[in-house]
Structures are given as C-alpha cells and as structure tokens.
Amino acid sequence: MTSKPILETKSLVGKGKYVGKFLRRVEGMEKVMGKAKYVADLKMDGMLYVKPVLACHAHAVVRAIDTSKAERLPGVVRVVTAADIPGQNELGEVVHDYPMLVAVGDKVRFDGDMVALVVANTAEAAQRGVENVDVKYEVLQPVLTIDEALKDQIHVHEPSNVRYFHKVRKGDVEKGFAQSDYVFEDTFEVGYQEHAYLEPQGMIAIPDIDGGITIYGSMQCPYYVQSAVARVLGFDLSRVKVVQTETGGAFGGKEDVPSYIAAPAALCAYLTGKPVKFVLSREEDLRMTSKRHPVRVWLRVGVKEDGTLMAVEAKVWGDMGAHGTLSPIVLWRSNVHAAGSYRVNNVKVDVWGVYTNKVPTGAFRGFGSPQVFFAFESMMDEIAGHLGIDRLAFRRKNALSPGESTVTGQILDESTGALETLQQAEGMSNWDDLLKKVEEFNRKDPLKKKGVGIAHIHYGVSLGAMGNPLDASGAFVQVYKDGRVGIHVGGTEMGQGMKTAMAAIAAETLGQKIEMIKVYQPDTSYVPDSGPTVASRTTLFSGNAVRMACESLRERMVKAFAAFMGVKPSLVEVSDGRFRCPVGEMSFEEAAAMCDKDNVPLSETGWFASPKLSWDPEKGFGDAYLTYAFATQIVVVEVDMITGAVKVEKVFTSHDVGRAINRDAVIGQIQGGFVQGMGYALMEFVQYDESGRMLTENFNTYVIPTIHETPKFEISLVEKPFKLGPYGAKGIGEPSLIPTPAAVANAVSHAIGKRVKRLPMTPEYILSLMVRDEGEVV
C-alpha cells in the first residue's frame, strides 16, 4: 500500500488578516455533510425528463426520422426534432458549425451528435422512447486521423478539413539555425483526455410566468448558456435567466458544453410548458462531450555548443473532432506556448486545426498548453543529453527574467518568477544528490529502474489577446444592515475555491470577519456578462471587481463613522469586524445599522477589464497575455522493466502565483493538477474502432488515477506580486497541471534510456520502446 502524500510548503505567509492564510472553505461544510444541492438533487412538480437520440454512425446523412412508435409509448410526452426549433439550430459559441439537432437531409459528423429528444414523465420512459425512434441513415466514409484529415479527400465540413491557422514570427529563424552549432528535430504525439468530473452534465429549464425561461445547471459559463438558449429559442437575452447550481467539477468541460444541454432542455420546456430536466448518464457524457485535443507537434531547435537557444521552429496540428467548439482559441494558446518558456530570439510557429469524425475537442485545464510543453520539454532533455549539459542548468541558462521578451516578443513585467521556480525546485529536490541516488539504485537493480524528470513552463493568465473583448468581470456587493455582506460575481465555483477567495478578498478589503460574508451562486440577472470561468482568471478578474466594490463601500462607511465620532476619516481603522478611532469604536454590525438609518448607500458594483493587448495576428507577434505564471517541476518515477508499469514516487514542484489568496486552496490545486496531469501522461486513453465508434464507454474502460497512485509532494510557492492582481494574485488552476505530463515523460525516458514521444505512456508503449529504434515515433 502506498504511503499518504507528504506536503511541505516553503513560502512566507502573507501579512493580511485573511489574504495569504490557510482558510477553511466557506462552502465546504455543506458539501462534506451532503447538504449541497446539485442538479440531479432538484425536483419540481410536474417535471419532465429528456433523453437524447444519438447518431449511431460517425459520418452519415440523416434520411428519415420516424417518431411515431416512440410517441405511442406510455409516459412519453413528445419527441422533438430540428423542425421544432423556433430560433437558430446552432450551438457553437465560437465556431458556428454545431447544430443542436441534426435535421433530415443534413449530416451527423460523429456518433454523439443529437438527432432527436424524447420528453417523458420519467427518465426511464424517456429512455424507452429513445430506443423506439427509428432513424434512417446514408452512411459515409469517416475521417478518423489527422493524416486522413490532411489529405482533404473527404470533408467533415466544407470547404476543407484544415482550418483556423495561427502563427508566431520573431526574428529570422533560418538565420538562427545557420548560427547554431547543432540543430535537433523530432515529432511528438498526444491523445485525448476526458475531464472525468464527478458530476455529469445536467440542466433544468423552467418556463417563467412572463414568457421567459430560467435555467438551473452545472456550468462554468452562465453567459454562454444564456446566449445559446436565447439563440435556439429566438428570445432576447432579457428573457433568459441562468443560475449556476453547485457544480461537481468542470476542468474546462463545462465551459461551452453546458450550452449543448441547456438549449435542448429549454426547447423542451418551451414546447411543453413544463419544467424539464436533462441530465446525462456517465456513458452519454463520455460519448457526447468535448475532450482534450489530440495533437501532433514537429519541432526543430537550434543551439550553440554552450547551450544557448538560437532558434525554434514548430508545426502543430490539433484534432478538433467533428465540430470547432472552442478550438480556434485553444489552438491559439498552443501557438503562443509551442516554442517553450525560454529566451529565444528567432521563432517560427505554425498551428492548424483539423476536423475529424470523432468527438469534438475543446476547453480542458491547460487549454492547449500541456500538449506542446510535453513536446518542447522532451526536446530540452534530448538536447541537454546530446550536449552533455545538466538538464536543470540548461533550463536555467535560457530561463526568462524581468525585462526580457517571450517567444512572441512580449516584454515581461515585475511578476516574473521563472528563475526562482527553478532555484526552489533544485533546492527542494537536492538535484545533484537526487541524480546520484537514482544512478546508484539503477546500478544495483536490473528489474526496476528509477528516473528523474524535469519540466519548466509558463502560462498566460486570462483570456489573452484573442479573448480581449470577453476579458472583464463584474461584482455586486451589498452590506446588509445587520453587518452581513452578500456578494454576487459572474465567476463560478466548481470546486476550485472561488467562493472562499472572493470572501477573503472582501473580508480583507472591508475589514469584516470572513464568516459574515456570503458569496451567492452566479445569476445572470444580478451581474453583467463577466466572461467564462476559465484560463485561471477568476481570482484576478472577479477578485478585482469584488475588491473595487468593497473599497467604495468601506470608504462610505468610514466617512459615516468618522462623522459620527467627529474625527477625520484618515484616523479610522477597520479590521476584524470593528471600526476604531482615537475617541471610540463600534462593531461592523453597529456601523452598518447606523449607515442604514442615515440612508448611506450600502450596495456597490465593481468592474475590472483587461488592458488592451498589442497582439498582431498577421505578424504573429506582440503581447499575448496580461501576465504569466511560471512553474518548475521535478518528478521521480520507478519503472518495472518486465511489465512496463510506472510508479510516480515523489514530486518537487514550485509555482509562481503572484500571491496566494487562500494557501490551502493553492496547495490543493497543485496536488489535484498534478494527479490529473499524471493520469494524462500514463493511463488515460480514448479508443475508437475503424468505423468511428467510441469504444471507451465508462470508467470500466477509461482509467483514471486514484489515491493509491498519488505520490508524495513537496510544494513551494514563489510570490512576486502582480501589480494588477487583487493583493498581487495571478492564478494557479491550470499551471498546476501543465508541467506534469512533460516531467513524468522525461522521468520515464531517463529511467529506460529511450525517448518517450507519445502520450499516454501505457505499459505496452513503454515495453515497445525497449525493442524499437530510438528515432522512431511509436
């Protein structure tokens, strides 16, 4: 049995009352006691249930849909098809190529496209109805691989399978290669990853008395859902209200996908006049919903003999699946990060998305970055080995510092902790000692080999230049006359600790106790469109909006208290729930009651928007993101040379977070991100047959890590505050995962003496490496 994870943190605790401390989750008690209500827990009088009729072919034309048999079944209320949609039959948020229901005469493009919806009095009756809807297809040849898509002989969408080109251009890449002493070239490939959130997708739609629709559901982006429902029903946005329920995990899988569940539920509620629940089974969820992009990366890297990086060229192809979803934005992030986290003056990156007849791919923690960092960090290890340079020293030599430019030409600001993460990881691991111990172990044991892997990454926090129009967030804060504080934000809580971070920022700013602060479920009728809860942006954007609103409220309350006490506002101090001045004090509750009596307004809004970024897509150059988080990770693995099984033993990881708001949540994010990235590296695999049918149906066939695979951790935080962040914070949700696949792959490569070029590293793949030529991509 494996030992429990060991955690060490090495960082100064912040000086604030709440910010920078280890805080208990404000919503934690309800969740651990089973009192939190998720979509599946909610029931209403007269509620109907929906089940989807899914395509049974990867590529086919729908020739006829016969619903008559299903509609005669007991309990079935109605079968809905594309002909019943009053608005637009379109779900795509970024790319408009995703019909909600495939109409007769149109094509299904993967075996999870919806053809019809069965509405019934029970979920069981709805499922029986699904089994009795008869759909006639004209079957077409599917496109199932990147290579087939690039041939462009069979089109998934017209006019071409190859779409959404992005580029980076910096310096003169050919001149850089000419000045290099060595040029290295290789190709890497990665597969799908399923989000595996605890709670499947689910929505409830309720017709309102005023002719509108209210949606309750599990989601990351209420405003995406609002737009999709309005579009499908032909409604104005004001007629659609969206409220997020407790959400059991998301990891990017509940960014745009909930719209694909909410819009059908809303349509059925609109047509029947009844509340409608649409909750996917695990099997439906795995088959229908988006995954991490499979990607192929070709790299060419030029270096001087002393290890100076001179030039990088990258070509990246991302498998978008059957529909574009968020692929243009995901692959743009791949574009920005494909040439690594180092100082390189000559860069050329080209990225393409390609359509295939498989499950669509979209947002996933890391958003196109883990794939390209696996490739680039693998190349860094290979180059260091050929040059005879220590792998960590090679990275340190080329690491970025404040005042230097990224591969896109962006000059870094004061919050750049790249070198510090390398130094902390080196110190925690006792790098030189660790390598000697592993070498000694491997000399003595012929059947098991240990390896040490390292990866160094950066991550653009926020939506970046491609998402600049959406990169703003709002907050509504109200101080009640009893001193309690209510907060509404557009960002969502999905397990990452958003509510606690917002409560801590409000408590720190207002001077009220954190237990007196309530963060409500997001509701589109309270706060304007605040963008999606993605890109590790919520603490930065919603947190700033909360801080701004609270600063205004504090100023008003201080002035009122100062006037009551007959002192200047500058002499007033507010902390720990009390207002104090040289002549007296009162509780926050008393101050709130006084302000209410004197008609001092105690509600305020906050709005934080990203500065305009200077990215030029035509030149492929400029400021790509608002700021960057850096990380360095060192991993120790043990490989069974007989079976190919890999055990991750220990992790040393250092993250540049700007400033930690809730240290406990930051540590939890780092641990969770590592385990999810480890699963992606070693075991998580989606399989298709030759017809395009997904064979991976549930967690019997899709393997994810458990507590038994969780290694020991040593975690260190680099805190170089970001001037635009609330109390200096940046983000951690996605950087926590990004270095892991690369670090684990480099550790396995070190252990077996062969270069891993494909993820996941299944035991079969690892064994195959030992009997194939090193230069072959397996």
Side-chain angles (χ1 to χ4, degrees), residues 663-741:
R663 310 189 85 75
D664 191 60
V666 170
I667 290 162
Q669 285 284 326
I670 292 169
Q671 292 172 320
F674 178 87
V675 172
Q676 195 169 41
M678 179 182 71
Y680 182 44
L682 293 175
M683 62 190 73
E684 299 186 35
F685 182 59
V686 175
Q687 189 170 0
Y688 279 85
D689 68 15
E690 65 279 358
S691 71
R693 183 172 68 93
M694 186 187 290
L695 301 177
T696 310
E697 296 179 336
N698 50 41
F699 291 143
N700 292 329
T701 49
Y702 188 83
V703 181
I704 60 175
T706 69
I707 191 64
H708 298 293
E709 287 78 48
T710 303
K712 298 177 182 179
F713 289 90
E714 287 193 36
I715 296 170
S716 177
L717 305 182
V718 173
E719 296 192 85
K720 300 183 75 174
F722 175 48
K723 63 184 178 183
L724 293 182
Y727 296 98
K730 292 196 286 195
I732 187 58
E734 294 179 271
S736 61
L737 178 148
I738 294 168
T740 302

Side-chain angles (χ1 to χ4, degrees), residues 85-91 96 100 228 230-234:
I85 296 173
Q88 299 176 42
N89 186 14
E90 174 54 55
L91 292 176
H96 301 302
M100 189 182 88
R231 186 164 57 245
V232 167
L233 295 183

Side-chain angles (χ1 to χ4, degrees), residues 5 49 171 210 237 309 315 369 427 474 550 570 606 614 633 640 659 738:
Y49 297 82
D210 60 359
L237 288 173
L309 291 171
K315 294 181 180 179
S369 299
C550 289
S570 60
S614 64
Q633 193 166 91
D640 188 315
R659 189 178 183 195
I738 294 168

Side-chain angles (χ1 to χ4, degrees), residues 524-778:
T524 57
S525 65
Y526 275 89
V527 180
D529 189 341
S530 296
T533 304
V534 299
S536 300
R537 67 186 287 272
T538 306
T539 296
L540 177 57
F541 280 79
S542 292
N544 264 328
V546 168
R547 178 186 56 79
M548 293 162 72
C550 289
E551 284 174 348
S552 295
L553 290 169
R554 178 184 173 122
E555 183 179 359
R556 285 181 211 153
M557 294 182 74
V558 164
K559 285 182 179 178
F561 173 78
F564 179 79
M565 291 293 183
V567 300
K568 294 180 179 180
S570 60
L571 297 176
V572 177
E573 178 187 316
V574 191
S575 64
D576 203 24
R578 298 198 70 79
F579 284 74
R580 300 178 180 88
C581 72
V583 299
E585 64 179 76
M586 67 172 63
S587 69
F588 198 99
E589 292 80 2
E590 291 169 328
M594 178 187 68
C595 289
D596 179 71
K597 184 179 178 181
D598 293 341
N599 292 323
V600 176
L602 291 180
S603 64
E604 186 58 88
T605 60
W607 183 256
F608 178 76
S610 169
K612 183 71 174 175
L613 298 172
S614 64
W615 177 259
D616 185 335
E618 295 302 317
K619 295 180 179 178
F621 188 80
D623 291 358
Y625 289 96
L626 185 59
T627 188
Y628 295 88
F630 292 82
T632 300
Q633 193 166 91
I634 294 170
V635 174
V636 181
V637 305
E638 183 179 277
V639 180
D640 188 315
M641 302 298 280
I642 302 300
T643 66
V646 176
K647 176 185 176 183
V648 179
E649 294 189 330
K650 193 157 188 180
V651 183
F652 308 91
T653 189
S654 176
H655 286 268
D656 159 34
V657 299
R659 189 178 183 195
I661 300 295
N662 177 6
R663 310 189 85 75
D664 191 60
V666 170
I667 290 162
Q669 285 284 326
I670 292 169
Q671 292 172 320
F674 178 87
V675 172
Q676 195 169 41
M678 179 182 71
Y680 182 44
L682 293 175
M683 62 190 73
E684 299 186 35
F685 182 59
V686 175
Q687 189 170 0
Y688 279 85
D689 68 15
E690 65 279 358
S691 71
R693 183 172 68 93
M694 186 187 290
L695 301 177
T696 310
E697 296 179 336
N698 50 41
F699 291 143
N700 292 329
T701 49
Y702 188 83
V703 181
I704 60 175
T706 69
I707 191 64
H708 298 293
E709 287 78 48
T710 303
K712 298 177 182 179
F713 289 90
E714 287 193 36
I715 296 170
S716 177
L717 305 182
V718 173
E719 296 192 85
K720 300 183 75 174
F722 175 48
K723 63 184 178 183
L724 293 182
Y727 296 98
K730 292 196 286 195
I732 187 58
E734 294 179 271
S736 61
L737 178 148
I738 294 168
T740 302
V744 174
N746 282 340
V748 171
S749 297
H750 182 228
I752 66 175
K754 299 282 186 177
R755 174 53 47 194
V756 169
K757 299 180 186 179
R758 192 188 78 189
L759 299 182
M761 295 172 283
T762 60
E764 295 84 356
Y765 172 64
I766 290 171
L767 290 175
S768 75
L769 286 176
M770 300 179 198
V771 296
R772 298 195 184 193
D773 293 335
E774 188 171 358
E776 181 181 353
V777 176
V778 182

